[in-house]
Amino acid sequence: TEDYTDRIYLSTKVTLDGLPPAARVRIYTLLGELVWEGAADGAGVAVWKGVNRAAMRVASDVYRVRIDSEDKSRTKKLSVIR
């Protein structure tokens, strides 16, 4: 597992690129609550629309992004500022 520097996204759509194709992407609150789950497409891109599993906009906060592929797992921090 690797930690990366915080990233700040000002839009409500977050594009995660450079991922392994079909990588599993999960976004959690810092308390460990699952916010969103998806997968990278064949080009290694996953798009999160800034909503939780109930389709409600998430609050400004810091989230953890967990990326799992066949050969590697990593964690990034993501700051959402509304």
Side-chain angles (χ1 to χ4, degrees):
T1 303
E2 299 176 39
D3 265 330
Y4 291 83
T5 306
D6 288 353
R7 292 184 175 179
I8 299 173
Y9 295 94
L10 301 175
S11 71
T12 57
K13 181 172 123 179
V14 178
T15 301
L16 302 165
D17 58 8
L19 305 174
R24 183 177 179 189
V25 180
R26 289 172 287 171
I27 298 177
Y28 295 93
T29 65
L30 292 180
L31 296 175
E33 180 184 339
L34 180 63
V35 174
W36 179 82
E37 185 172 15
D41 61 18
V45 176
V47 177
W48 176 46
K49 295 181 181 177
V51 296
N52 62 20
R53 294 186 303 161
M56 300 193 62
R57 281 179 57 171
V58 298
S60 294
D61 207 343
V62 177
Y63 297 88
R64 291 226 177 244
V65 180
R66 174 73 182 200
I67 302 164
D68 293 305
S69 63
E70 289 184 18
D71 61 340
K72 188 176 182 181
S73 294
R74 60 186 174 183
T75 302
K76 295 182 174 192
K77 291 182 206 172
L78 171 73
S79 296
V80 173
I81 299 174
R82 299 237 183 239

